Amino acid sequence: MTARSARVKPLIGLTGRRFRMELVRGSHPGYGHRLTDSFISDFADSIARAGGVPVMLPYDADPEALGDWLSGVVITGGQDVHPSCWGGDESVVDDIDPLADPSVHDLSRDEFEIALTRVALDREIPLLGVCRGMQVLNVTLGGTLIPDLPVGRVRHLMAAGPLSDGDPEHVVTFDAGTIAQKVFGDRLVTNSWHHQAVDVCGAGLVVTGRTDDGVVESVELPGAPVLGVQWHPEWMVTDDGALRWLVEAAAERR
């Protein structure tokens, strides 16, 4: 490795959503039916501060070609994965256009992220799945989801808002010797904005962290640089280390 290549920062791909510009307040009406891609910029900020180069990945990008360039991948949070991708109840799917409402199911996003996840796994590109992204990871490997968590003693669907480390009772405990335990310690209070969760793990995937009500909060693929977390590390007040882990793993791969 040359001195220059040793200084090259790892390229970290970020997935996101696609919707019509008319949803953006203040945008010119002439752009109303044009489409825009977006991701939560907190991801980019955290990745840049950790020493990586964040890049947005539109659905049009060829996942196989991305695999030739990317050093790391983040499958970000968002709407529910379409139940057709994991054998769920398709009667819950409405006919709202995801380009007009980016909170509803979006098969185009599902298909792109599942294909990208497969490429990352096949090529051993470090991957972090966040909230929905953890569920995409599980579904890609043939796992299933809990379609709607019952209300219980631990609150998983908190009010979305500014940066938050979550409610004190939302404590995730991690298994010893796992990536999660090395990154987060034995336990961590986290934020939580989800109503679905991992049910049956996909092939090779193991649960490495749970809240005390049994809900899956972190998963891994033993022997591979793969981590899924159910909370939002990009919105934690206290840096939990998830995105730093990804950038470091990506730099090592280079």
Side-chain angles (χ1 to χ4, degrees):
M1 179 181 293
T2 66
R4 180 184 180 282
S5 63
R7 295 194 302 270
V8 174
K9 296 180 178 181
L11 196 66
I12 309 297
L14 290 159
T15 65
R17 309 191 200 200
R18 174 169 289 179
F19 53 87
R20 291 197 181 94
M21 284 291 292
E22 63 188 4
L23 298 181
V24 180
R25 184 166 55 182
S27 62
H28 191 282
Y31 296 115
H33 287 281
R34 308 311 297 173
L35 305 181
T36 187
D37 293 323
S38 71
F39 62 83
I40 301 298
S41 61
D42 302 84
F43 279 113
D45 177 62
S46 295
I47 288 168
R49 283 190 285 108
V53 178
V55 292
M56 173 71 188
L57 304 179
Y59 305 164
D60 316 87
D62 176 2
E64 288 290 342
L66 288 174
D68 295 333
W69 293 94
L70 296 176
S71 299
V73 171
V74 182
I75 307 295
T76 63
Q79 63 268 66
D80 296 343
V81 181
H82 197 287
S84 66
C85 298
W86 54 274
D89 180 7
E90 295 188 48
S91 69
V92 303
V93 178
D94 52 44
D95 59 359
I96 299 174
D97 181 1
L99 298 177
D101 183 349
S103 67
V104 302
H105 297 94
D106 186 348
L107 263 175
S108 295
R109 180 180 184 183
D110 296 335
E111 291 165 358
F112 171 71
E113 290 186 340
I114 288 171
L116 180 62
T117 297
R118 287 198 180 103
V119 169
L121 296 177
D122 289 345
R123 302 199 188 189
E124 298 184 341
I125 299 170
L127 181 142
L128 174 66
V130 171
C131 198
R132 163 196 159 88
M134 183 176 90
Q135 297 167 12
V136 169
L137 170 61
N138 188 48
V139 167
T140 300
L141 292 169
T144 60
L145 304 177
I146 297 172
D148 203 17
L149 286 168
V151 176
R153 63 183 181 277
V154 177
R155 189 158 64 106
H156 291 280
L157 189 56
M158 301 175 185
L163 297 178
S164 171
D165 283 351
D167 293 341
E169 72 271 15
H170 193 274
V171 179
V172 184
T173 303
F174 303 101
D175 293 344
T178 61
I179 293 174
Q181 193 261 343
K182 292 174 184 175
V183 173
F184 309 119
D186 295 333
R187 61 200 303 274
L188 181 70
V189 175
T190 74
N191 55 43
S192 187
W193 291 299
H194 67 106
H195 77 103
Q196 297 193 328
V198 167
D199 187 8
V200 177
C201 278
L205 208 62
V206 298
V207 177
T208 59
R210 296 180 186 267
T211 40
D212 67 7
D213 57 356
V215 171
V216 176
E217 293 284 341
S218 69
V219 294
E220 298 175 23
L221 200 59
V226 175
L227 175 64
V229 297
Q230 191 57 67
W231 65 93
H232 287 263
E234 78 280 15
W235 285 347
M236 292 284 285
V237 175
T238 306
D239 182 3
D240 67 358
L243 290 158
R244 281 188 288 108
W245 165 80
L246 179 68
V247 172
E248 290 169 3
E252 289 177 9
R253 181 178 184 272
R254 288 191 57 82

